[in-house]
Amino acid sequence: MTTVQSPPAPPTAIRPRVVARTGLYAVLAANAAVVAYFFAQAGFASNALIVIGRLFGLYGALVMAFQLVLVARLPWLDRRIGMDRLTSWHRWTGFALLWTLLAHAVFISFGYADGAGVGPVTELVDLAETTEGVLRAIVALGIILVVGAVSARYARRRLAYETWHFIHLYTYVAVVLAFTHQVAVGTTFTASSAAKAYWYGVWGVALGAVVLGRLVLPLWRNLRHQLRVSAVVHESDNVVSIHITGRDLDRMPAQAGQFFLWRFLTRDRWWQANPFSLSAAPDGRTLRLTAKAAGDGSAALRHVKVGTRVFAEGPYGAFTALHRTRSESLLIAGGVGVTPIRALLEELEGHAVVIYRVSADRDAVLYDELRELAVAKGADLHLVTGPPVPDRLAPRELARLVPDIGDRDVFLCGPPPMMNAVLRSLGDLGVPKQQIHFERFSLAG
Ligand SMILES: Cc1cc2nc3c(=O)[nH]c(=O)nc-3n(C[C@H](O)[C@H](O)[C@H](O)COP(=O)(O)OP(=O)(O)OC[C@H]3O[C@@H](n4cnc5c(N)ncnc54)[C@H](O)[C@@H]3O)c2cc1C
């Protein structure tokens, strides 16, 4: 692939992120309206508690289907919204889903208990024993409660990514149980074959999206490109670059600023996939990642052998030239956050200023490359060193280094505290939000 030099979008164009977000909301709103229509059509022949409980159940299931689309990793959505934002929405709608389904169970139990003159727990046990599909729903809710608990920030930080992810996969079991429960006992669906067909359609699309984005596309791309490690370069004591070759790489739709989930098929690490950004713009012949040792998986990359097969899911991410709004740019990197910045510098058209923030000169990996690129492209490069405090990228410092900062797109990647400080500085300097683009090196936070 030849590097695409992407000019900024014309000022009148609707931003890609806004298009994708509006599309998602519109689809959700349209489906919410269809659900309400079928619900009303089925009639309200029960007491108010049961009616409210059923409505919670229907909307809970709709949110569940929407949840699947958010994490399906569909390229069109991912390039426009970004996996970080999609994952964050998935996280928050996940908690909303949990409360909606709990409300469904509580309202239904109280509603039926009211009619039968017994307590809600007795009624729930009775329903589970006598009504087809209710036990499945209780198991589904139990699974979702466990997934919700391990996804709470406190638990999430204490679990290895893989453990959390493995538990999370049980939601697919919950999805199947919940769906079969609904079509078996949901009055909206037992009353109307059109409603049933619609519901099968909704779930077919949602599950189809997951199968396509998470299974078919990655398998197809890896079969096609046959990726292998072609070189391993030690950049410093704890940073290594891995060069990867493969077939037809000019057909890989990757852009500077994007990342892949890399799985190196060695005997002891094939089970682990880690996200790493491209640290050079793809040139149609090779891909390169540069990884700092943060844990066992990234540290083991130093020992990967040339020739090792690689399974890569991606490219993912919206930290790309697609979102440009201005013809000039400011690229700010902190530490190993330099990887996508280095690739973007190669790809972006127009004048660029690069600020590379590190604690000491020796931490500035890829600096020589950055300097050569800056010279070749006529970009200004500033290496800013020193301890985190005092803040060397405070508003006054930034304005001094880049006086026309308000007229540039800003691309930012670095450690969270540095990024938060720079985002505050950019806000103080009045840089419009749509000109600020950033990549956080965490997805499931
Ligand atoms: C979009 C993105 C791009 C990144 N690019 C780079 C880069 O170019 N260079 C670089 O050095 N680092 C990068 N990182 C960080 C890098 O992914 C982690 O340092 C690495 O995965 C740590 O894995 P580990 O097995 O060594 O450590 P672990 O101790 O296993 O993991 C440490 C933390 O890394 C995160 N992590 C691990 N695996 C995954 C995964 N599959 N998905 C999401 N998060 C995971 C989790 O938050 C985990 O808690 C990037 C991260 C993201 C999200």
Side-chain angles (χ1 to χ4, degrees):
M1 189 176 93
T2 42
T3 299
V4 192
Q5 298 271 321
S6 328
T12 50
I14 306 175
R15 288 186 291 133
R17 184 166 290 136
V18 175
V19 173
R21 202 171 42 206
T22 312
L24 269 183
Y25 289 155
V27 169
L28 189 60
N31 280 285
V34 176
V35 165
Y37 168 76
F38 281 127
F39 181 71
Q41 212 189 29
F44 308 105
S46 317
N47 69 38
L49 289 175
I50 296 177
V51 171
I52 296 170
R54 284 184 184 151
L55 200 57
F56 270 120
L58 280 174
Y59 280 128
L62 189 62
V63 172
M64 218 177 195
F66 185 64
Q67 283 282 74
L68 292 182
V69 175
L70 291 181
V71 290
R73 298 182 184 160
L74 298 174
W76 190 87
L77 271 184
D78 188 83
R79 273 200 299 271
R80 281 162 183 79
I81 297 179
M83 199 195 279
D84 50 352
R85 278 191 175 80
L86 287 166
T87 314
S88 160
W89 295 356
H90 173 84
R91 179 179 161 78
W92 291 112
T93 44
F95 289 121
L97 169 68
L98 203 152
W99 290 112
T100 311
L101 293 183
L102 265 177
H104 167 63
V106 169
F107 274 96
I108 290 282
S109 308
F110 273 89
Y112 279 103
D114 197 34
V118 291
V121 177
T122 314
E123 181 58 30
L124 190 64
V125 173
D126 189 45
L127 283 173
E129 283 172 356
T130 57
T131 311
E132 201 223 323
V134 172
L135 187 58
R136 288 200 290 269
I138 294 172
V139 175
L141 183 59
I143 293 175
I144 288 172
L145 283 173
V146 171
V147 170
V150 298
S151 298
R153 204 149 267 160
Y154 177 83
R156 175 70 192 82
R157 288 212 181 108
R158 278 158 185 79
L159 286 176
Y161 174 81
E162 284 75 19
T163 312
W164 169 81
H165 193 236
F166 183 74
I167 296 172
H168 212 83
L169 289 180
Y170 277 96
T171 14
Y172 291 106
V173 177
V175 162
V176 173
L177 293 173
F179 176 76
T180 53
H181 155 73
Q182 277 198 314
V183 288
V185 295
T187 44
T188 308
F189 307 111
T190 47
S192 152
S193 53
K196 207 174 205 165
Y198 159 74
W199 209 232
Y200 271 98
V202 166
W203 281 94
V205 169
L207 285 168
V210 173
V211 171
L212 178 71
R214 292 218 154 189
L215 229 59
V216 177
L217 262 180
L219 282 174
W220 178 73
R221 285 215 172 113
N222 281 277
L223 276 176
R224 174 175 194 183
H225 296 299
Q226 304 276 328
L227 302 175
R228 269 182 200 282
V229 173
S230 61
V232 179
V233 178
H234 293 205
E235 306 282 358
S236 74
D237 287 352
N238 59 355
V239 179
V240 68
S241 285
I242 310 244
H243 297 244
I244 288 157
T245 52
R247 269 193 339 218
D248 299 335
L249 281 190
D250 54 328
R251 298 300 180 93
M252 173 84 88
Q255 271 189 285
Q258 289 194 296
F259 68 95
F260 287 79
L261 295 174
W262 303 96
R263 196 182 289 273
F264 293 88
L265 303 182
T266 56
R267 210 168 334 146
D268 49 345
R269 287 272 162 204
W270 61 268
W271 49 270
Q272 193 176 24
N274 294 80
F276 293 106
S277 304
L278 295 173
S279 60
D283 61 5
R285 293 180 316 273
T286 57
L287 300 170
R288 186 183 74 170
L289 65 106
T290 301
K292 180 174 176 174
D296 292 348
S298 44
L301 292 179
R302 293 184 85 71
H303 310 295
V304 166
K305 300 258 180 309
V306 169
T308 301
R309 288 289 306 271
V310 182
F311 189 92
E313 290 166 62
Y316 297 128
F319 190 56
T320 66
L322 176 70
H323 297 273
R324 289 188 75 180
T325 61
R326 297 293 172 132
S327 52
E328 303 195 322
S329 50
L330 165 62
L331 307 175
I332 307 180
V336 79
V338 73
T339 51
I341 295 291
R342 148 74 179 82
L344 277 168
L345 175 62
E346 205 174 338
E347 188 172 297
L348 291 180
E349 264 183 0
H351 182 260
V353 178
V354 185
I355 299 178
Y356 189 5
R357 176 79 171 92
V358 282
S359 304
D361 287 1
R362 65 173 180 284
D363 299 326
V365 286
L366 305 181
Y367 182 65
D368 290 342
E369 286 184 20
L370 215 51
R371 198 174 42 204
E372 278 166 30
L373 257 178
V375 170
K377 300 201 67 161
D380 298 335
L381 173 62
H382 304 280
L383 181 67
V384 180
T385 55
V389 181
D391 181 6
R392 279 160 220 265
L393 299 180
R396 191 135 50 103
E397 290 301 304
L398 272 182
R400 188 181 61 77
L401 290 171
V402 196
D404 59 350
I405 191 165
D407 295 328
R408 292 174 180 269
D409 273 312
V410 181
F411 289 85
L412 167 68
C413 183
M418 174 251 180
M419 282 186 58
N420 292 339
V422 172
L423 288 173
R424 269 197 307 275
S425 296
L426 295 173
D428 291 350
L429 289 169
V431 179
K433 272 210 168 96
Q434 70 269 19
Q435 283 170 231
I436 303 175
H437 319 280
F438 55 86
E439 181 76 285
R440 293 187 193 277
F441 278 180
S442 68
L443 293 176

